[in-house]
Amino acid sequence: MELGLIGLGKMGFNMAERLRQGGHKVVGFDFNAEAVGKLTATGSVGVQSLEDLAKNLKAPRAIWIMVPAGDPVDQTIAKLEPFMQKGDIFIDGGNSNYKDSQRRHAQLTPKGFQFVDVGTSGGIWGLKEGYSMMVGGDKEPVEHLRPIFETLAPAKDKGWGHVGPSGAGHFVKMVHNGIEYGLMQSYAEGFSIMKHKEPLQLDLTQIAQIWQYGSVVRSWLLDLTADALAKNPQLEGLDAYVSDSGEGRWTVFEAIDLNVSAPVITESLIRRLRSREDNNFSDRMLAIMRNEFGGHAVKKST
């Protein structure tokens, strides 16, 4: 099967390579000419424009968009539309808000196009391990794309599925990432507790490796943590700054709207926000209040 791919970052490039190895023709475009050249060097087809992308694909075309969420997706679709025909499929495989995906589906279907939203997990490991894909959209285009999903997934019948109508794929991926926030925060807090128990001189790398086998807390995330600790046990040279790409926030907003209690995901998001504050004002406020009502000592900055 043929697939157009827009966005040849690390994940997009690895997806293209997995598809090529699976026998699919991949035509890729990126505004970075070096990335296009790299794709061509691996045996896929790299092109220099969106028009060339469409010209190199047989109808009905299927084009997978891997660009940052928000306006870049809308701009990409708008620029691509003039080169597309009725029946062609737009696929958004990035981390878009599910409401945006529902809107795009509603805008494109009256024009004769089809739109599929794919929440995609796997990151830089997808080439080797396969990708987990949560697919939203109409049944017809999803079934047409089945060979693509089966190739990208860890196995034909594992790691992917049509989870619901338009927007469902990105909604499920949003919650997936919210859960990921909570898992990461729990591991971070647990290892921090052990790190601070200095009299026991605990080897965190060893403990992570022990937990990888037979433990109820074993996971792929723990495997990656164990590998990271083995490379840098003291986390030297790292700033305590944790970014977020939006899905955790959206998950918290949905929980509030649905009257669902989600304290772990919410707190993990708050901790990420706090990690970005130099000389945290909230903590300094707490210190000065304790000093005022109880005469507790305040540590002065030097």
Side-chain angles (χ1 to χ4, degrees):
M1 185 174 177
E2 298 183 352
L3 183 74
L5 181 64
I6 300 174
L8 299 174
K10 184 67 173 178
M11 186 170 176
F13 180 84
N14 284 350
M15 290 176 65
E17 180 62 13
R18 187 172 177 91
L19 288 168
R20 186 192 68 80
Q21 292 178 6
H24 300 280
K25 175 185 176 182
V26 178
V27 182
F29 169 76
D30 195 284
F31 288 105
N32 183 335
E34 185 178 343
V36 174
K38 182 179 177 183
L39 180 73
T40 303
T42 64
S44 291
V45 180
V47 297
Q48 301 299 320
S49 70
L50 294 176
E51 184 175 8
D52 286 341
L53 180 74
K55 285 181 177 179
N56 277 274
L57 295 169
K58 297 177 183 178
R61 301 173 184 83
I63 298 184
W64 190 302
I65 300 169
M66 289 291 287
V67 301
D71 188 61
V73 178
D74 289 321
Q75 291 294 326
T76 300
I77 291 174
K79 292 176 181 177
L80 188 59
E81 267 192 64
F83 312 118
M84 302 284 273
Q85 300 175 1
K86 289 185 177 181
D88 289 349
I89 308 170
F90 291 85
I91 309 158
D92 182 1
N95 284 325
S96 291
N97 188 296
Y98 79 97
K99 294 179 181 178
D100 287 337
S101 296
Q102 291 175 328
R103 170 178 56 80
R104 290 166 186 143
H105 177 271
Q107 291 172 340
L108 289 168
T109 50
K111 300 177 183 180
F113 301 126
Q114 303 189 83
F115 180 85
V116 174
D117 55 287
V118 183
T120 310
S121 181
I124 61 174
W125 295 93
L127 177 58
K128 177 184 177 182
E129 303 287 342
Y131 296 89
S132 173
M133 291 167 291
M134 299 133 265
V135 185
D138 300 328
K139 182 177 180 180
E140 181 183 350
V142 172
E143 282 301 310
H144 179 78
L145 295 168
R146 176 178 286 272
I148 296 296
F149 298 138
E150 290 179 344
T151 301
L152 288 173
K156 283 188 175 182
D157 59 346
K158 290 185 174 67
W160 80 276
H162 185 191
V163 298
S166 177
H170 281 146
F171 184 88
V172 175
K173 178 58 161 51
M174 173 192 75
V175 177
H176 164 283
N177 283 26
I179 292 171
E180 179 185 290
Y181 279 34
L183 290 172
M184 292 174 68
Q185 185 66 32
S186 293
Y187 280 128
E189 291 176 7
F191 279 96
S192 181
I193 292 169
M194 292 186 289
K195 172 69 174 176
H196 283 79
K197 193 64 175 178
E198 295 179 356
L200 296 183
Q201 298 182 329
L202 299 173
D203 184 334
L204 301 188
T205 305
Q206 178 197 32
I207 293 166
Q209 291 170 345
I210 291 171
W211 287 356
Q212 286 181 272
Y213 303 96
S215 167
V216 72
V217 300
R218 67 187 185 274
S219 69
W220 185 31
L221 182 57
L222 179 63
D223 293 342
L224 297 175
T225 302
D227 290 343
L229 286 171
K231 296 172 186 174
N232 189 357
Q234 302 301 320
L235 308 185
E236 294 174 347
L238 298 177
D239 289 330
Y241 183 103
V242 187
S243 61
D244 74 281
S245 54
E247 297 91 334
R249 299 178 186 225
W250 302 337
T251 304
V252 172
F253 297 157
E254 287 294 325
I256 293 169
D257 287 344
L258 296 168
N259 289 319
V260 174
S261 175
V264 173
I265 294 175
T266 302
E267 177 59 23
S268 66
L269 170 64
I270 300 302
R271 292 298 304 178
R272 290 194 179 201
L273 299 179
R274 184 168 170 171
S275 76
R276 303 166 204 172
E277 295 186 30
D278 292 329
N279 198 10
N280 185 280
F281 187 79
S282 299
D283 288 350
R284 285 186 285 147
M285 283 295 298
L286 289 173
I288 199 168
M289 283 187 279
R290 291 184 75 245
N291 177 259
E292 288 297 317
F293 72 71
H296 301 286
V298 176
K299 184 178 180 180
K300 301 289 182 68
S301 60
T302 56

